[in-house]
Amino acid sequence: MTAPLARRVAAEAVGTAGLVTVVVGSGIQAGRLSADAGVQLLANSLATALGLGVLIALLGPVSGAHFNPVVSAASWFTGRRTGDGLTVRELAGYVPAQIAGAVGGAVLADAMFAEPLVAWSGHDRSAGHLWLAEAVATAGLVLLVLGLGRTGRGSMAPAAVGSFIGAAYWFTSSTAFANPAVTVGRAFTDTFAGIAPASVGPFVAAQLGGAALGLALTAALFGGRTARTAQAPAAAHGDVELTAAAG
């Protein structure tokens, strides 16, 4: 990454805001256009997959298009010895920007649909099978991002990451948040994509556990890391220094 840290942090905030705007906004639109839950989820997942791919392609060359604290943490962790991942200072800038962007994206989506700007979600998501789903989704995301980087296919990140999240909406019971910042942001909207504040903590804990599993799987499947691995997908197009967000 050659852009100044302030610009990269801004890109992470804007990208995460854009992601949550897509997730929440498409959920509201789907709910207004159809009463069928399957149609609503289909619309929400398609919009998220497409929007995420576009955001990664656009902002990957600036910040790596993480839009996700666990992806940024994985970049730091895998690159801490070789120096090709995020530094502690960069990580400390990325994570707050991602969380602030996520909250801002939820508020923006609500504003565009004339919903209350801030309304705590009443959508309870507290159950063991949902936490398992979050761990699986996050592990898969981290494995994908790091695996693309280690095999020199980071340029595939926009399509691959978007496709994975779109699929994970359907094969996980939690609809694959797989992102602590997005989870926090979605607590601020009492709409289709929301999550009750009381459900946020366990979701984030499951995501962190999934990220650790993803790191372990990466080491087991791909062995030692190579230069610029931490910048994974995008790095390959710029991380894209480790792309990816989820939603």
Side-chain angles (χ1 to χ4, degrees):
M1 296 280 100
T2 58
L5 179 57
R7 187 182 301 168
R8 284 181 279 151
V9 167
E12 285 297 301
V14 170
T16 312
L19 172 60
V20 176
T21 300
V22 170
V23 172
V24 175
S26 62
I28 297 172
Q29 186 77 291
R32 292 185 178 182
L33 295 176
S34 175
D36 185 283
V39 173
Q40 292 172 2
L41 184 60
L42 178 61
N44 196 208
S45 62
L46 284 175
T48 300
L50 294 172
L52 177 56
V54 169
L55 288 168
I56 291 172
L58 175 65
L59 297 175
V62 180
S63 68
H66 298 192
F67 315 149
N68 189 335
V70 298
V71 172
S72 296
S75 175
W76 165 77
F77 184 82
T78 57
R80 67 194 188 288
R81 290 191 179 90
T82 57
D84 59 355
L86 292 183
T87 65
V88 172
R89 177 169 173 263
E90 290 168 332
L91 182 63
Y94 272 41
V95 173
Q98 291 159 353
I99 294 172
V103 174
V107 172
L108 176 59
D110 282 341
M112 289 194 295
F113 287 92
E115 296 283 343
L117 297 186
V118 175
W120 298 118
S121 176
H123 194 163
D124 180 68
R125 298 178 188 263
S126 298
H129 67 284
L130 299 179
W131 304 333
L132 173 61
E134 278 303 291
V136 169
T138 310
L141 176 64
V142 170
L143 176 62
L144 172 61
V145 168
L146 293 177
L148 287 176
R150 294 198 180 187
T151 55
R153 294 178 295 168
S155 61
M156 296 176 61
V161 174
S163 296
F164 174 79
I165 293 302
Y169 260 72
W170 289 89
F171 75 73
T172 65
S173 58
S174 64
T175 67
F177 286 46
N179 185 327
V182 168
T183 303
V184 170
R186 288 169 67 166
F188 284 74
T189 178
D190 192 18
T191 59
F192 178 82
I195 178 172
S199 300
V200 170
F203 256 52
V204 171
Q207 291 158 0
L208 294 176
L213 176 59
L215 286 168
L217 287 172
T218 300
L221 296 175
F222 296 100
R225 58 196 302 289
T226 57
R228 292 187 67 77
T229 290
Q231 291 158 207
H237 71 262
D239 181 270
V240 146
E241 263 179 6
L242 211 87
T243 283

